């Protein structure tokens, strides 16, 4: 398949988080053909039953390209016009998968080896695939991680701190609220206190931000609620200790605050000749924790379109990404550093 055909084929396979196996099987088949004619090795790296990372290598992998196979819901298939490929995952991150595969094929045709391709599950939820890969390294010294950065090299990414906040109350008829206790009222009080937390600002990464993503609770409008819960997420820019303490203080005696995910903010290296940016989203990079080598973050497409009904990727950026990835690999293999 050519670059655009491969991108569309990947987009057309539904692979929302926890449902990645069909796209993993497709990639295994595609990479089997490439490995078969180029002396490559291919393996499945089990994360859970019927849920695999895919790793392909040529020689002893020094440079590994990696991104994720899963997407956010809802699934919708691909469309194509003269400028864009549209569809769920087109920029986050199936177009990136296609560009990485095309770059490796281009390098192999030129006789370049010591390369790897690592495609993981679960990045959109909890980095489950990266966790498994981190304890199964393959000797790689450099990891080129793909996320939509409009082909600019990211110098840093914000971190993530996610909580589930649950409040408990006492059922009562709403005509006699004094006989019960509203969990919803308690939850709203806690969320108000959390919104009042003073959040830090970093000179490179910018402000720490808070999103209250979901709220649920209660049984009926004429019943005092006995349960309510919310999911909240901070995009952190440094040490999360003070935020943790503030969340616990805001919820003390009124709700249970359970931390469900933490990824630290990350600062990344420059690379000669590439324009740079800073991104607010989190990636698998902190979960890899250096096990696959020094990380770089770059990919085609805009994060502002990822996760939306308008998700699309410019064909021009896809083609440019192939050349960028190939050039990065050549330089890292030749010099062992990001500066020539």
């Amino acid at each position: 398949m050519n670059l655009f055909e491969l991108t569309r084929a990947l987009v057309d396979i539904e692979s929302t988080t926890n449902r990645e196996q069909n796209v993993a099987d497709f990639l295994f088949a595609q990479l089997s053909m490439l490995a078969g004619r180029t002396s490559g090795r291919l393996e499945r790296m089990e994360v859970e039953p019927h849920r695999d990372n895919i790793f392909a290598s040529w020689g002893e992998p020094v440079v590994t390209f990696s991104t994720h196979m899963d997407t956010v819901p809802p699934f919708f298939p691909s469309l194509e016009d003269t400028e864009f490929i549209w569809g769920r995952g087109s920029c986050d991150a199936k177009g990136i998968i296609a560009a990485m595969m095309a770059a490796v094929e281009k390098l192999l045709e030129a006789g370049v080896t010591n390369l790897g391709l690592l495609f993981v599950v679960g990045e959109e939820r909890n980095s489950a695939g990266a966790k498994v890969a981190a304890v199964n390294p393959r000797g790689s010294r450099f990891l080129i991680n793909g996320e939509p950065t409009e082909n600019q090299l990211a110098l840093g990414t914000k971190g993530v701190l996610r909580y589930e906040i649950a409040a408990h109350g006492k059922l009562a008829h709403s005509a006699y609220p004094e006989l019960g206790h509203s969990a919803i009222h308690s939850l709203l009080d806690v969320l108000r206190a959390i919104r009042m937390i003073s959040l830090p600002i970093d000179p490179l990464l910018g402000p720490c931000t808070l999103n209250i993503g979901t709220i649920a609770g209660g049984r009926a409008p004429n019943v005092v609620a006995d349960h309510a819960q919310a999911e909240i997420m901070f995009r952190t820019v440094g040490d999360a200790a003070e935020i943790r303490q503030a969340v616990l203080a805001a919820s003390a005696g009124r709700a249970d605050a359970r931390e469900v995910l933490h990824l630290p903010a990350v600062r990344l290296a420059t690379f000669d000749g590439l324009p740079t940016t800073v991104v607010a989203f989190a990636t698998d990079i902190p979960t890899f924790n250096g096990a696959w080598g020094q990380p770089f973050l770059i990919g085609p497409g805009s994060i502002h379109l990822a996760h939306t009904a308008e998700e699309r990727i410019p064909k021009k950026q896809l083609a440019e990404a192939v050349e960028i990835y190939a050039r990065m690999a050549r330089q890292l293999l030749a010099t062992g550093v990001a500066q020539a």
Side-chain angles (χ1 to χ4, degrees), residues 1-15 23 26-27 30 71 75-91 93-99 101 311-315 318:
M1 293 185 185
N2 70 28
L3 177 63
F4 301 152
E5 289 173 345
L6 180 56
T7 299
R8 288 198 64 179
L10 289 165
V11 170
D12 286 337
I13 302 171
E14 192 273 333
S15 62
V23 79
F26 174 83
L27 286 170
Q30 292 292 313
T71 71
F75 166 75
F76 55 97
S78 70
L79 294 171
E80 183 176 356
D81 58 31
T82 56
E83 189 176 358
F84 297 102
I85 294 174
W86 303 66
R88 176 60 76 226
S90 53
C91 73
K94 291 180 174 178
I96 295 172
I97 291 175
M101 289 174 63
E311 185 170 354
R312 61 191 183 274
I313 191 165
K315 293 178 175 179
L318 265 176

Side-chain angles (χ1 to χ4, degrees), residues 120-318:
V120 300
V121 302
E123 187 273 345
E124 295 290 4
R125 190 65 181 172
N126 59 8
S127 292
K131 289 176 185 174
V132 169
V135 296
N136 292 279
R138 297 293 186 267
S140 179
R141 291 177 51 207
F142 301 99
L143 180 77
I144 300 175
N145 192 242
E147 291 287 349
T149 68
E150 299 183 77
N151 284 337
Q152 299 176 80
L153 188 77
L155 298 181
T157 75
K158 291 185 181 182
V160 165
L161 182 61
R162 181 156 59 91
Y163 280 92
E164 292 177 356
I165 311 291
H168 304 280
K170 181 181 178 183
L171 290 170
H173 194 294
S174 66
Y176 304 93
E178 69 276 9
L179 299 180
H181 172 71
S182 173
I184 290 177
H185 291 180
S186 294
L187 179 64
L188 292 176
D189 290 342
V190 170
L191 293 177
R192 182 178 183 277
I194 289 173
R195 292 182 65 198
M196 298 298 290
I197 294 172
S198 178
L199 299 176
I201 299 174
D202 180 82
L204 175 67
L205 299 177
C208 175
T209 59
L210 165 67
N211 182 56
I212 299 173
T214 69
I215 296 179
R219 297 174 181 269
N222 59 345
V223 179
V224 174
D226 62 332
H227 179 77
Q229 68 178 43
E231 293 177 292
I232 67 171
M233 182 180 286
F234 295 92
R235 298 285 179 172
T236 61
V237 297
D239 189 345
E242 290 188 6
I243 296 174
R244 285 189 173 104
Q245 292 172 4
V247 169
L248 293 176
S251 57
R254 298 186 288 191
D256 299 321
R258 184 173 75 90
E259 182 180 321
V260 295
L261 179 65
H262 174 241
L263 297 173
V266 176
R267 284 162 174 76
L268 297 163
T270 59
F271 198 104
D272 271 0
L274 293 177
T276 60
T277 188
V278 174
V279 298
F281 57 83
T283 75
D284 276 331
I285 285 175
T287 304
F288 282 117
N289 197 31
W292 286 74
Q294 180 183 1
F296 301 92
L297 179 64
I298 188 169
S302 169
I303 196 65
H304 296 156
L305 297 172
H307 300 194
T308 74
E310 302 298 315
E311 185 170 354
R312 61 191 183 274
I313 191 165
K315 293 178 175 179
K316 183 174 184 290
Q317 285 189 18
L318 265 176

Side-chain angles (χ1 to χ4, degrees), residues 48-63:
E48 297 172 353
H50 310 294
R51 198 172 179 223
D52 303 326
N53 295 337
I54 301 297
F55 177 60
S57 60
W58 292 265
E60 298 301 320
V62 173
V63 177

